């Protein structure tokens, strides 16, 4: 189904609810936890025709946007109005606003501006019974009851279908600079990132290992970015009204354990440096579709996690390879494992339990979807999961909205 308006979404849901037909909402289909894929013949509600894009409100720095608009189109509309939508991710030209809200997407600048939840001022969504919940005023202050926008953000299509949102926009910095920095080892990279996240112009701190860099160079036919080898790399993005290049160069010159760096200010060279980071997902896919884990740990546990993960993986699935990269300023690492074959679930189980033991989360920014729900109990108590089920029951009593996502399967025979 490809509805083109909120009324059409309402009509479809009303019918499905009456007939007990399960529905999976779908946006750009860029999710990494199976969240937009039907598992058992559910009806796919493709929301990409919801293309509402109101004029940007420059005074209140906000815009009302339909669920089907891509992140890239939203970013361009904001830029045309001299403003900026401050969630950004590599899949920007395919990922849709609705999908990024449903999954509370984090992305590259989470460190500075927070994730999607922090940008949502108002929401329009359709309940399973077709009732339209619309609260799009987008006021900076609005204490008038339950914060439905916040509840739907990250609900992965299980409570209502998001059709539009009012999003906050920020000022557009006049200048930006990007650095790619090589470090002797992961500990030095994480130590530098931990101190650089306090520099107010720094917006992104992206970490990856030498194996990942070598892979992306081969896959994308890129030159090695720095002379010599490093044990870990950071891509650092800085922006502000004053040119941040000198500050960035000074940071890079003073950090301990730095073995090489490149700093770029013009757009083409900045984009070229970002390719080493943004090309990673597709380079790893080129090896084989990997087991994907998206975890956060306290930053103090990050070096240990990155060091231990390949060892743990090898014990469970000898010969499998672990590729790691992520948003180090948030303690968020993407662990991608290739070659685990029929041991993939066992690898996921071992790593996710390890992450939980470190005080981390089994999903930092990709959500739970259908792929991770069996591990939700590692980080959410029985009382919390029961509360999730009660909320779901209140908003979707017939269980037609994305029945296989987020909530763990109920064991046969249990309540
Ligand atoms: C990123 O940070 C995305 O590039 C994708 O969250 C992560 O491919 C992945 O595992
Ligand atoms: Zn990410």
């Amino acid at each position: 189904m490809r509805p083109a308006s909120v009324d059409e979404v309402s009509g479809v849901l009303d019918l499905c609810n009456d007939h007990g037909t399960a529905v999976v909402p779908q946006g750009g289909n860029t999710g990494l936890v199976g969240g937009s894929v039907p598992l058992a013949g559910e009806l796919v509600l493709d929301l990409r025709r919801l293309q509402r894009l109101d004029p940007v409100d420059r005074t209140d720095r906000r815009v009302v946007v339909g669920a089907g608009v891509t992140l890239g189109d939203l970013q361009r509309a904001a830029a045309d109005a001299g403003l900026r939508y401050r969630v950004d991710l590599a899949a920007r030209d395919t990922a849709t606003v609705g999908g990024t809200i449903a999954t509370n997407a984090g992305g590259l600048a989470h460190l500075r501006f927070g994730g999607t939840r922090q940008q949502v001022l108002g929401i329009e969504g359709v309940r399973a019974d077709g009732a339209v919940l619309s609260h799009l005023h987008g006021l900076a202050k609005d204490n008038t009851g339950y914060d439905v926008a916040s509840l739907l953000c990250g609900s992965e299509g299980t409570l209502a279908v998001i059709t539009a949102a009012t999003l906050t926009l920020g000022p557009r910095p006049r200048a930006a600079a990007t650095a790619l920095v090589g470090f002797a080892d992961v500990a030095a990279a994480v130590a530098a990132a931990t101190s650089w996240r306090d520099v107010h112009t720094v917006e992104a701190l992206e970490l990856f290992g030498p194996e990942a860099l070598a892979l992306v160079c081969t896959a994308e036919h890129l030159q090695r970015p720095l002379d010599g080898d490093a044990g870990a790399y950071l891509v650092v993005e800085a922006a502000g009204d004053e040119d941040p290049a000198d500050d960035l160069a000074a940071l890079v010159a003073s950090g301990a354990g730095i073995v090489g760096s490149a700093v770029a200010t013009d757009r083409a060279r900045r984009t070229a440096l970002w390719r080493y980071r943004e090309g990673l997902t597709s380079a790893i896919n080129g090896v084989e579709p990997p087991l994907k884990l998206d975890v956060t740990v306290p930053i103090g546990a990050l070096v240990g996690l990155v060091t231990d993960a390949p060892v743990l993986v090898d014990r469970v699935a000898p010969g499998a390879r672990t590729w790691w990269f992520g948003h180090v300023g948030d303690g968020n690492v993407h662990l991608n494992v290739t070659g685990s074959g029929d041991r993939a679930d066992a690898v996921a189980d071992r790593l996710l339990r390890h992450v939980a033991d470190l005080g981390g989360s089994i999903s930092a920014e990709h959500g739970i979807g259908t792929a991770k729900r069996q591990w939700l109990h590692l980080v959410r108590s029985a009382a919390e999961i029961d509360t999730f089920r009660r909320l779901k029951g209140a908003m979707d009593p017939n269980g037609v909205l994305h029945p296989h996502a987020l909530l763990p399967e109920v064991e046969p025979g249990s309540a």
Side-chain angles (χ1 to χ4, degrees):
M1 283 276 173
R2 302 186 68 232
S5 68
V6 62
D7 289 341
E8 287 182 14
V9 173
S10 166
V12 173
L13 288 183
D14 187 21
L15 270 178
C16 289
N17 194 45
D18 281 352
H19 290 85
T21 303
V23 172
V24 172
Q26 191 181 80
N29 214 1
T30 59
L32 297 169
V33 288
S36 54
V37 182
L39 277 190
E42 300 92 309
L43 182 137
V44 173
L45 202 57
D46 178 344
L47 299 161
R48 285 175 298 176
R49 290 174 73 204
L50 298 179
Q51 285 290 323
R52 173 175 180 183
L53 187 47
D54 287 10
V56 168
D57 177 343
R58 287 192 177 84
T59 310
D60 282 285
R61 289 187 175 162
R62 63 190 177 186
V63 63
V64 178
V65 56
V69 172
T70 64
L71 200 56
D73 283 344
L74 166 61
Q75 290 171 346
R76 281 182 282 277
D80 288 347
L83 295 170
R84 178 159 70 137
Y85 183 58
R86 294 178 291 192
V87 171
D88 190 25
L89 33 100
R92 59 185 73 79
D93 288 319
T94 316
T96 58
V97 165
T100 58
I101 296 173
T103 56
N104 184 27
L108 301 167
H110 185 284
L111 163 74
R112 189 57 62 220
F113 305 117
T116 301
R117 180 173 281 119
Q118 282 72 39
Q119 323 303 319
V120 179
L121 296 173
I123 205 140
E124 178 190 82
V126 184
R127 238 168 36 193
D129 63 0
V132 176
L133 309 172
S134 184
H135 196 67
L136 291 172
H137 307 305
L139 299 167
K141 289 186 151 182
D142 184 5
N143 270 355
T144 53
Y146 299 135
D147 187 349
V148 176
S150 187
L151 179 65
L152 294 192
C153 191
S155 65
E156 304 190 37
T158 59
L159 299 180
V161 173
I162 295 163
T163 49
T166 308
L167 300 171
T168 190
L169 304 174
R172 206 169 136 73
R174 290 206 190 96
T178 306
L180 194 152
V181 192
F183 290 85
D185 52 34
V186 189
V190 173
T194 308
S195 116
W196 294 352
R197 74 197 154 141
D198 293 331
V199 176
H200 76 279
T201 50
V202 169
E203 295 191 348
L205 287 163
E206 296 293 307
L207 174 74
F208 46 94
E211 303 83 1
L213 178 79
L215 184 70
V216 81
C217 287
T218 308
E220 302 253 330
H221 309 289
L222 302 175
Q223 303 278 340
R224 307 276 303 187
L226 307 174
D227 293 335
D229 291 328
Y233 296 85
L234 282 181
V235 169
V236 187
E237 179 80 354
D241 285 339
E242 310 286 322
D243 186 351
D246 289 348
D247 285 355
L248 198 52
L251 280 186
V252 163
S254 64
I258 294 178
V259 298
S261 64
V263 178
T265 48
D266 62 283
R267 180 165 286 284
R269 288 193 54 239
R270 286 176 47 227
T271 306
L273 290 182
W274 269 103
R275 274 184 79 188
Y276 294 99
R277 165 62 179 86
E278 294 201 330
L280 290 171
T281 297
S282 101
I284 297 166
N285 278 337
V287 176
E288 69 172 40
L291 164 69
K292 281 193 168 289
L293 302 174
D294 158 44
V295 301
T296 351
V297 291
I299 295 182
L302 204 60
V303 178
L305 174 67
V306 164
T307 316
D308 293 345
V311 179
L312 295 176
V313 168
D314 197 61
R315 269 188 216 145
V316 179
R321 290 202 67 171
T322 307
W323 312 90
W324 51 266
F325 59 100
H327 317 287
V328 62
D330 308 319
N332 179 188
V333 191
H334 300 306
L335 297 168
N336 283 214
V337 179
T338 53
S340 58
D342 60 6
R343 301 289 292 151
D345 263 8
V347 169
D349 192 70
R350 185 69 195 87
L351 288 176
L352 295 179
R353 284 177 192 279
H354 184 61
V355 163
D357 289 346
L358 293 172
S361 171
I362 65 156
S363 172
E365 58 171 6
H366 295 169
I368 297 297
T370 55
K372 303 290 181 284
R373 61 190 180 138
Q374 62 173 301
W375 291 287
L376 187 63
H377 68 94
L378 293 177
V379 288
R380 293 294 195 163
S381 67
E384 284 180 299
I385 294 174
D386 176 58
T387 306
F388 288 4
R389 287 196 202 284
R390 287 167 191 247
L391 282 168
K392 166 102 177 132
M395 301 223 7
D396 175 20
N398 296 346
V400 294
L401 291 178
H402 217 338
H404 303 291
L406 211 165
L407 289 162
E409 229 163 342
V410 181
E411 300 289 329
S414 68

